[in-house]
Amino acid sequence: MLLRRPFFSSSKGSSSSSSSLLLCDVDDGRDGGGAAAEEEDDRWSRMLPELMGEIFRRVESSEARWPLRRSVVACACVCRRWREITTGVVRPPLESGTITFPSSLKEPGPRGHPMQCFIKRNKKTSTYYLYLSLTQTFADKGKFLLAARRFRCGVHTEYIISLDADDLSQGSNAYMGKLRSNFLETKFTIYDSRPPYSGAKVSSCRTSRRFASNQISPQVPAGNFEIGRVSYKFNLVRTRGPRRMMCTMRCPSAQTTSDEDPKLTSSPENASIPLILKNKAPRWHEHLQCWCLNFHGRVTVASVKNFQLAAAADPTQPGSTADEETVLLQFGKVADDMFTMDYRQPLSAFQAFAICLTSFGTKFACE
């Protein structure tokens, strides 16, 4: 099958053997393609919807894992009609436990089990790469998902998060959001490139104003929208123990969000209920002489960066309760520049990656 306008591309920089499928706008035949492009689109879109739906359902069910899942993305590349039907057939990660399109990176993770990923660090370039684990071992090359690079901006530190490992800038079509810290890197703010709910206001910081003035897509407002904060508790008396952190997140709704219609995103009422996360307290192991947490074999190297986050009761809401036993996000070291990241509902891959980025770097005031 000849795909006229594939909206996926191979990503370089992080791994030559790993490819990234980047979802772009499908050409509708009116910008440069002319009548020939329109005629080719019509040829594919004239197929019976029932027939196309049955084909896509069979492809979706048979290609459940990467890299075979490229076939599902390829079906959505043919024309706009195929894309609409394919995205209607593919279930969100909350139900399927599978990441298919880039929009899945900002949807809640699986409900029943964690989504297993890993992060590779390049110290020379201060760049971090997020991969989806394809096997239960730490040796697989994974499926590239996101990349982030650390920048120093005056007294602040920023991490730009992108779908493209070769284009880490706020002006890129692959820009997903950013992470911004204070001077001591003890307080972080997470920004999304898309509004988390209808009517959300763009951040008032100088970089956000400059970015919002040059919108990439006229359908969806471009900018930086605050969706969460991460803070580390000071340890001024230098007591023994790991870092203590707390997160306040605006999590995505269970419904799939639309890349083209911001009205389909979560409502302000749902967004007003924040998710409070705190790291689980480890126990001191006398024989090993170290602090221990049960990572179920997913972490093999002791590090102050390792953590597990669980829901905590909101102190501002009297009588509120939370499941403090279920780990919603865990992060830990397995090699010198390799870390595992496992997340689940209600966090998205983008949010989990941003939270894990806060753990990198030395924090003298917290250790």
Side-chain angles (χ1 to χ4, degrees):
M1 180 185 297
L2 176 63
L3 303 182
R4 180 180 60 82
R5 263 294 282 236
F7 51 89
F8 55 84
S9 60
S10 178
S11 175
K12 302 176 182 178
S14 56
S15 173
S16 59
S17 59
S18 299
S19 60
S20 170
L21 303 186
L22 304 184
L23 198 61
C24 310
D25 288 334
V26 178
D27 189 0
D28 61 1
R30 291 189 292 269
D31 53 342
E38 268 190 49
E39 183 179 349
E40 190 172 359
D41 265 354
D42 291 341
R43 185 182 65 181
W44 292 110
S45 60
R46 278 198 298 265
M47 294 180 64
L48 292 176
E50 295 80 5
L51 176 61
M52 288 192 291
E54 181 62 24
I55 293 174
F56 297 157
R57 277 189 287 271
R58 293 189 180 187
V59 173
E60 201 275 338
S61 60
S62 62
E63 315 293 357
R65 298 180 62 86
W66 289 96
L68 298 178
R69 202 155 180 79
R70 291 177 63 97
S71 301
V72 180
V73 182
C75 288
C77 298
V78 177
C79 64
R80 188 175 298 276
R81 180 67 181 279
W82 281 43
R83 178 184 179 181
E84 293 172 353
I85 298 178
T86 304
T87 53
V89 169
V90 174
R91 295 173 298 165
L94 180 67
E95 302 174 12
S96 64
T98 304
I99 293 177
T100 305
F101 302 115
S103 59
S104 305
L105 299 173
K106 292 188 177 180
E107 296 174 0
R111 181 183 291 111
H113 60 86
M115 185 81 77
Q116 295 185 341
C117 307
F118 61 89
I119 298 173
K120 287 186 176 181
R121 174 180 60 181
N122 187 327
K123 291 182 180 179
K124 293 182 179 179
T125 60
S126 298
T127 309
Y128 307 85
Y129 306 98
L130 176 66
Y131 295 86
L132 177 67
S133 297
L134 303 181
T135 65
Q136 296 294 324
T137 68
F138 302 135
D140 71 86
K141 297 177 181 179
K143 163 73 178 72
F144 173 79
L145 299 177
L146 292 169
R149 180 171 294 167
R150 184 179 185 271
F151 297 91
R152 193 72 185 180
C153 303
V155 297
H156 301 280
T157 299
E158 289 190 353
Y159 293 81
I160 303 299
I161 303 175
S162 173
L163 282 167
D164 190 347
D166 294 330
D167 192 355
L168 291 158
S169 65
Q170 293 195 51
S172 167
N173 285 328
Y175 174 72
M176 295 286 281
K178 73 174 184 177
L179 180 68
R180 183 180 176 90
S181 78
N182 61 356
F183 176 73
L184 297 176
E185 296 192 38
T186 57
K187 294 183 178 180
F188 296 81
T189 305
I190 302 173
Y191 296 97
D192 196 335
S193 63
R194 300 293 180 92
Y197 56 88
S198 180
K201 295 183 179 180
V202 70
S203 172
S204 60
C205 68
R206 184 176 61 181
T207 55
S208 297
R209 290 197 299 269
R210 182 169 66 249
F211 177 59
S213 65
N214 184 21
Q215 292 188 4
I216 296 173
S217 172
Q219 290 86 7
V220 181
N224 288 311
F225 300 85
E226 183 178 330
I227 60 169
R229 292 175 179 263
V230 181
S231 61
Y232 289 82
K233 190 172 182 179
F234 283 98
N235 185 14
L236 300 179
V237 295
R238 301 291 181 179
T239 56
R240 236 180 11 169
R243 298 169 177 172
R244 286 177 289 178
M245 60 188 297
M246 185 177 73
C247 307
T248 304
M249 303 298 300
R250 307 285 182 180
C251 291
S253 61
Q255 293 83 10
T256 31
T257 57
S258 171
D259 287 339
E260 299 181 356
D261 189 356
K263 295 180 180 179
L264 297 181
T265 56
S266 56
S267 64
E269 291 76 14
N270 293 334
S272 64
I273 305 175
L275 172 68
I276 309 296
L277 299 173
K278 287 186 178 181
N279 64 313
K280 297 190 70 174
R283 61 181 179 85
W284 178 256
H285 198 291
E286 288 292 343
H287 179 68
L288 299 176
Q289 289 294 296
C290 66
W291 296 95
C292 295
L293 277 171
N294 185 6
F295 288 95
H296 303 282
R298 291 285 292 165
V299 177
T300 58
V301 180
S303 173
V304 70
K305 298 179 178 64
N306 302 346
F307 66 79
Q308 288 181 331
L309 292 181
D314 189 349
T316 63
Q317 300 292 331
S320 63
T321 59
D323 182 4
E324 300 181 359
E325 296 301 320
T326 302
V327 176
L328 302 181
L329 171 62
Q330 74 173 25
F331 171 79
K333 193 172 185 178
V334 294
D336 187 34
D337 290 311
M338 185 172 175
F339 305 79
T340 57
M341 185 196 87
D342 301 341
Y343 74 98
R344 62 194 304 166
Q345 181 201 21
L347 294 175
S348 66
F350 170 75
Q351 290 177 325
F353 185 42
I355 294 174
C356 292
L357 289 174
T358 68
S359 188
F360 290 103
T362 304
K363 297 173 173 53
F364 296 105
C366 305
E367 300 169 2

